[in-house]
Amino acid sequence: NAGVTQTPKFRVLKTGQSMTLLCAQDMNHEYMYWYRQDPGMGLRLIHYSVGEGTTAKGEVPDGYNVSRLKKQNFLLGLESAAPSQTSVYFCASSSRSYEQYFGPGTRLTVT
Amino acid sequence: AQKITQTQPGMFVQEKEAVTLDCTYDTSDQSYGLFWYKQPSSGEMIFLIYQGSYDEQNATEGRYSLNFQKARKSANLVISASQLGDSAMYFCAMRPFSGGYNKLIFGAGTRLAVHP
């Protein structure tokens, strides 16, 4: 099993550009999450989904949109990238039990 | 407010010695879970250990144990017989059971360096 995969692994954007990060999981998990990790801080929840077709805001949702059209995929979009969105982005998934499984992360730089 | 506090930005330990990484939490939930994750320099998040708030015994997973003191709201990670491969960032996290969507709240992390 691949677990949780993220595409791309690295990306450099210019201010104002848009992009979509793709997260895929093959564990049939109901819940999926997008986090960002900034230096000196733990992971902060951006958006999450409790099932196909549903999304909700987390702790730091501004500037991001998400979609969960298929159960196995969770997309994170940046419509107009800003330097403050330079970060490492992690996707995670979980069943109704406690453990979240994390993807390898995407390092995004906005210049 | 729900919060995780890790007061040690960095820790050093000699190989083969034990080390304790501190974690305190704040929540008004009666039911919650506590987690520790390891993040090596390669960047992935690796689940280490879990403790439920109603678990009476401290959780253990191999060389990892969680020293859970509910009254003090602390959930310290103890790594016994440290190895060079234990050098990494360690994050404490909490899942309040209210809300129903398995939300995790992370601390800022502790960087552990294991010296030979």
Side-chain angles (χ1 to χ4, degrees):
Chain A
N1 282 347
V4 180
T5 58
Q6 293 182 231
T7 309
K9 289 185 169 54
F10 303 94
R11 186 71 187 267
V12 178
L13 287 179
K14 294 184 177 180
T15 298
Q17 287 185 322
S18 63
M19 76 163 296
T20 300
L21 306 183
L22 171 64
C23 176
Q25 53 96 1
D26 61 3
M27 297 173 280
N28 202 33
H29 285 165
E30 291 292 330
Y31 301 159
M32 296 188 74
Y33 315 81
W34 276 107
Y35 293 89
R36 62 178 287 172
Q37 183 181 27
D38 300 303
M41 302 182 72
L43 278 67
R44 292 183 294 166
L45 184 64
I46 304 171
H47 285 280
Y48 65 97
S49 168
V50 300
E52 182 179 324
T54 72
T55 63
K57 294 180 180 180
E59 181 185 359
V60 287
D62 293 342
Y64 305 95
N65 56 75
V66 288
S67 64
R68 183 107 180 262
L69 299 180
K70 294 183 179 180
K71 186 176 184 179
Q72 64 268 32
N73 294 338
F74 195 29
L75 279 63
L76 177 71
L78 286 73
E79 290 186 347
S80 180
S84 61
Q85 294 178 304
T86 293
S87 189
V88 179
Y89 291 85
F90 285 96
C91 176
S93 71
S94 70
S95 64
R96 294 181 189 274
S97 63
Y98 56 79
E99 184 178 347
Q100 290 190 13
Y101 295 82
F102 284 84
T106 295
R107 187 172 295 276
L108 174 66
T109 301
V110 182
T111 61
Chain B
Q2 296 176 350
K3 187 180 178 181
I4 293 285
T5 302
Q6 294 180 253
T7 57
Q8 306 154 315
M11 289 283 287
F12 298 89
V13 66
Q14 289 291 123
E15 195 178 7
K16 300 181 184 177
E17 292 186 348
V19 63
T20 297
L21 306 183
D22 294 342
C23 172
T24 58
Y25 60 91
D26 188 15
T27 181
S28 55
D29 279 42
Q30 294 300 308
S31 297
Y32 49 89
L34 297 158
F35 303 75
W36 279 91
Y37 282 86
K38 173 184 178 181
Q39 187 178 43
S41 58
S42 52
E44 71 269 31
M45 296 290 287
I46 302 168
F47 166 76
L48 294 178
I49 196 167
Y50 168 81
Q51 177 86 42
S53 59
Y54 287 109
D55 294 339
E56 294 186 352
Q57 290 194 333
N58 287 342
T60 60
E61 290 286 348
R63 294 187 298 110
Y64 304 108
S65 61
L66 198 152
N67 184 358
F68 180 47
Q69 299 187 43
K70 194 170 182 177
R72 294 186 176 184
K73 293 192 173 179
S74 74
N76 298 340
L77 177 70
V78 181
I79 305 174
S80 63
S82 297
Q83 302 172 356
L84 296 178
D86 293 334
S87 294
M89 281 290 289
Y90 288 82
F91 291 96
C92 180
M94 174 178 64
R95 177 199 170 192
F97 284 7
S98 63
Y101 63 88
N102 201 358
K103 171 184 179 180
L104 280 181
I105 301 164
F106 284 85
T110 295
R111 183 171 299 279
L112 177 66
V114 181
H115 293 169

